[in-house]
Amino acid sequence: MENLSFSKNTILIVDDNPINLDVIFKVLDEAGLEVLVAQDGESALQTMEYVIPDLILLDIMMPGIDGFETCYRIKNNASTLEIPIIFMTALGNTEQKIKGFNLGAVDYIIKPFQKEEVLARIKVHLDLRNLTKDLANKNQLLQEKIIEKTVLEKTLQQLNQELENRVEERTSQLQEAVKNLQQIQLQLIQSEKMSFLGQLVAGVAHEINNPVNFIHGNLNHAETYIQDLLEIFQLYQQQLPSPCAEITTRAEEVDLEYLIEDLPKVISSMKVGVEKIRQISVSLRTFSRAESTSKVKANLHEGIDSALLILQHRLKANDKGQKIEIVKEYGNLPLVLCYPGQMNQVFINIIANAIHALEDSSLKRTSEEMKTNPNQIIIHTEINHSQNSAIIRIKDNALGMPEEVRSKVFDYLFTTKSAQKGTGLGLSISHQIVVEKHNGQLSCFSEEGVGTEFIVEIPLEDV
Ligand SMILES: Nc1ncnc2c1ncn2[C@@H]1O[C@H](COP(=O)(O)OP(=O)(O)O)[C@@H](O)[C@H]1O
Ligand SMILES: [Mg+2]
C-alpha cells in the first residue's frame, strides 16, 4: 500500500460489530490514518460535536438509530453535512444502496472487506473531499479578493469623485477670484477716469477763470468809456452840425448811424457771453470739487446743473436736427448733506444713459413722431415730507426697456451696449453711491415704448 498516502486524515468508523470494527481499524491505522470509532449512531453524532472527521464509514444495521437515520442527521447539520459518508453493507443489497445514495452517501464498501478496495475507495473520496475543500477555500479566497477589489474600486471611485469635486470647487473659486479682480480693475479704471476728468475740468475751470474775470471787469469799463465817448461825440455833432466833406464821406462809409446804434448792443451781448463763460467756470468748479472725505452740505441743483453742463454738447441738435430738451422742474430743496462729487457722478450717469437712450430712439422714430413727441429729459426735484428726504426724478421719453433688462440695470457689468459705448458700471456704481454711501434709494421705472424714470432719494438730516 505504499502508493496510498493519507497525510493525517481522520476517519470515523461507526459499527456495532466489534470484529468488523477491529478489522477495519487495523487496516486504516496501518495506512497511517487517524481513526475514531463509535459503536452506534448516537455516539457517532456525539463524537462529531468535538471532532469533525474527514470521512465516515457507516454501518447500516445498528441498535438505536440505524445508519440511514445517522446519515440523515449528519447531512442535516451544517457543520457535518460536507463530510463524505461511505456505507458498509452486505453484498448485493441494491435497495439499501439506493436508499443510502438518496440520503447523500458517496459510496459503498461491501462486507466482508477487501483491504485494497476499502483503502482505494477511501483514498478516492478523501482526495475528492480534500480537493473540494481546497476548491472551497480557493473560492472563498477568490471571493474575498473580489470583495477587496470591489471595495478598492469603490474607494478609488470615491477618491476620484472627491478629487473632481475639489477641482471643480477650486476652479469655481478661481473663476470667482478672477471675476472679482476684473471688477475691481474696471472699478479702478472708472474711478481713475472720473478723477482724471475731475482734475482736468478743475484745471480748465481754474485757467479760464482769470482771463474771463479780466474780460468781465474790463467790459464794464469799456461800456462806460464807450457811453462817454458817444455822449461827447453827440456834443460834437450838436456843436458842429456841418462837418467837412472828408468826415461826412467817412461817416457814410462806416454807416456811422448804425454803428452808434449797434455798439452798445455789441457790448451787452459780449457781456452776456462772458457771463455765460463765468457760469460755466463756476459750474465746472462745482462739479470737480475735490472729493471731501466727510459729507458736506451741498446744493443738489447746482450738482445737476453742472452735470448737464458737462453733457451740454450732447443735448444740442445733431446734423439731423434732433436735439434733446431739458425740462427742469426744480422744487425747493434745502442744502443736502452728501458727498457732492459722488452725487454729481450719479446725476451724470443717469442723464448720460437717458441721452444715450434718446439718441437710440431717435434712430427708430419717424420725424413725424419726433415732432409730436420731441426728445425730452424732465428733471424734477421735491422734498418728500413724510420720509424727510430729497427726491430727484430723471425721466426720459426714449424707448424704455423690457422687464428683463430693467430688473438687471443695477447689476455689476450689466450692459446692453457695445463695448465701446458701455461698461455696465454706471448704474451699479450709482446704486452703490446712493444706497451705501448716502443711505438713500435708487429706483428705476420703465415702460417699453414710453420711457424711463430714475428716482434718487436722499435722506435729509434733521438739523
Ligand atoms: N434711460 C434708459 N433707457 C433705457 N435703458 C437704459 C436707461 N438707463 C440705463 N439703461 C440700460 O441699463 C444698462 C446699464 O446701464 P449702465 O449701468 O449705465 O451701463 P452702460 O451705460 O455702460 O451700459 C444699459 O446698458 C441700458 O440697457
Ligand atoms: Mg451708463
Side-chain angles (χ1 to χ4, degrees):
M1 287 286 73
E2 321 75 64
N3 295 355
L4 298 174
S5 75
F6 292 104
S7 61
K8 286 290 166 209
N9 284 295
T10 307
I11 308 273
L12 171 64
I13 314 166
V14 191
D15 200 331
D16 60 324
N17 182 332
I19 300 169
N20 272 347
L21 266 184
D22 197 43
V23 171
I24 204 145
F25 180 92
K26 272 191 189 137
V27 171
L28 299 182
D29 189 48
E30 274 168 24
L33 286 154
E34 291 284 322
V35 186
L36 300 168
V37 292
Q39 290 200 308
D40 55 57
E42 301 273 7
S43 50
L45 291 171
Q46 264 171 23
T47 306
M48 275 183 281
E49 280 172 27
Y50 310 101
V51 189
I52 302 289
D54 297 299
L55 190 142
I56 300 168
L57 290 177
L58 189 55
D59 185 25
I60 293 171
M61 304 300 284
M62 290 182 293
I65 58 169
D66 65 3
F68 293 131
E69 179 58 24
T70 312
C71 176
Y72 176 81
R73 292 196 193 177
I74 292 170
K75 290 294 165 192
N76 274 288
N77 180 338
S79 56
T80 54
L81 74 106
E82 302 281 359
I83 307 170
I85 296 173
I86 298 175
F87 275 115
M88 300 180 285
T89 178
L91 184 67
N93 196 334
T94 312
E95 212 175 294
Q96 280 192 347
K97 279 187 190 169
I98 292 169
K99 191 171 178 192
F101 278 127
N102 283 339
L103 283 169
V106 291
D107 208 351
Y108 275 87
I109 48 178
I110 310 288
K111 297 182 208 175
F113 302 119
Q114 289 291 310
K115 184 180 163 189
E116 279 79 13
E117 189 194 342
V118 169
L119 283 176
R121 284 185 191 274
I122 286 176
K123 165 121 176 85
V124 165
H125 290 295
L126 276 177
D127 282 351
L128 213 63
R129 167 81 187 124
N130 290 335
L131 274 176
T132 313
K133 254 190 187 168
D134 204 33
L135 210 66
N137 280 343
K138 284 204 174 133
N139 217 359
Q140 176 72 26
L141 220 68
L142 200 68
Q143 247 162 10
E144 274 166 20
K145 285 227 169 121
I146 287 173
I147 289 171
E148 215 171 283
K149 199 177 153 220
T150 328
V151 170
L152 265 177
E153 269 173 3
K154 255 199 189 150
T155 318
L156 207 68
Q157 241 175 6
Q158 277 170 358
L159 278 175
N160 229 350
Q161 183 64 40
E162 213 168 299
L163 200 71
E164 256 172 51
N165 290 347
R166 289 244 176 113
V167 168
E168 239 167 67
E169 203 178 300
R170 201 84 191 99
T171 313
S172 72
Q173 275 173 356
L174 271 175
Q175 278 170 343
E176 189 68 15
V178 169
K179 211 171 133 196
N180 278 345
L181 214 66
Q182 281 172 339
Q183 288 182 355
I184 290 167
Q185 213 170 19
L186 277 170
Q187 204 169 17
L188 275 177
I189 292 170
Q190 180 79 358
S191 53
E192 194 78 355
K193 263 191 200 163
M194 286 307 287
S195 89
F196 173 71
L197 190 67
Q199 283 171 21
L200 186 77
V201 165
V204 171
H206 180 79
E207 287 306 320
I208 290 177
N209 202 43
N210 279 344
V212 166
N213 277 337
F214 205 68
I215 297 171
H216 178 75
N218 285 332
L219 262 182
N220 282 338
H221 291 305
E223 194 177 32
T224 330
Y225 295 161
I226 284 167
Q227 208 55 49
D228 290 347
L229 276 175
L230 286 179
E231 269 173 37
I232 291 173
F233 182 67
Q234 270 164 1
L235 281 179
Y236 269 114
Q237 276 185 325
Q238 283 163 19
Q239 299 300 322
L240 294 168
S242 22
C244 63
E246 197 186 343
I247 292 177
T248 336
T249 321
R250 189 75 189 110
E252 267 165 28
E253 269 172 18
V254 298
D255 197 351
L256 187 61
E257 259 169 57
Y258 176 77
L259 191 150
I260 290 170
E261 191 193 315
D262 200 42
L263 193 52
K265 288 187 196 160
V266 169
I267 294 290
S268 69
S269 103
M270 281 166 83
K271 277 175 81 178
V272 170
V274 167
E275 193 50 46
K276 196 147 194 189
I277 299 177
R278 282 183 75 197
Q279 277 172 14
I280 291 174
S281 157
V282 169
S283 277
L284 286 179
R285 282 193 296 170
T286 308
F287 175 79
S288 62
R289 184 166 19 205
E291 190 57 351
S292 42
T293 44
S294 58
K295 288 183 182 172
V296 294
K297 286 195 163 186
N299 180 338
L300 291 186
H301 293 149
E302 275 180 13
I304 299 170
D305 287 343
S306 61
L308 284 170
L309 186 95
I310 296 220
L311 297 166
Q312 185 70 42
H313 65 287
R314 290 177 57 193
L315 301 172
K316 289 181 186 149
N318 62 13
D319 43 7
K320 286 187 202 134
Q322 293 156 337
K323 63 179 172 103
I324 296 168
E325 187 189 347
I326 300 290
V327 180
K328 292 185 195 172
E329 300 173 353
Y330 287 175
N332 205 359
L333 286 189
L335 296 182
V336 174
L337 199 61
C338 65
Y339 298 104
Q342 295 187 5
M343 287 310 298
N344 292 345
Q345 195 181 341
V346 171
F347 298 137
I348 287 226
N349 284 338
I350 297 175
I351 298 170
N353 280 342
I355 293 173
H356 240 136
L358 286 166
E359 284 168 352
D360 276 356
S361 74
S362 297
L363 298 176
K364 291 177 191 151
R365 283 181 172 159
T366 64
S367 50
E368 214 35 54
E369 281 174 303
M370 300 292 289
K371 244 179 232 158
T372 51
N373 190 13
N375 287 334
Q376 223 176 36
I377 298 175
I378 302 174
I379 304 173
H380 176 100
T381 66
E382 66 189 31
I383 297 180
N384 179 346
H385 288 285
S386 66
Q387 298 292 318
N388 195 30
S389 58
I391 302 238
I392 302 102
R393 300 168 187 271
I394 299 173
K395 184 174 175 181
D396 65 61
N397 60 348
L399 293 175
M401 44 189 143
E403 177 54 27
E404 65 260 31
V405 170
R406 195 208 57 81
S407 62
K408 292 201 201 99
V409 288
F410 299 122
D411 287 0
Y412 217 100
L413 299 180
F414 174 78
T415 180
T416 55
K417 300 171 188 172
S418 64
Q420 297 90 344
K421 281 193 169 173
T423 57
L425 285 171
L427 288 179
S428 66
I429 288 176
S430 301
H431 192 267
Q432 201 180 339
I433 290 173
V434 172
V435 175
E436 283 167 32
K437 301 276 176 65
H438 292 89
N439 242 338
Q441 283 179 42
L442 177 58
S443 28
C444 168
F445 301 89
S446 190
E447 197 178 332
E448 254 186 296
V450 177
T452 302
E453 181 174 37
F454 282 90
I455 302 180
V456 182
E457 186 164 1
I458 302 288
L460 294 168
E461 314 283 315
D462 299 297
V463 215

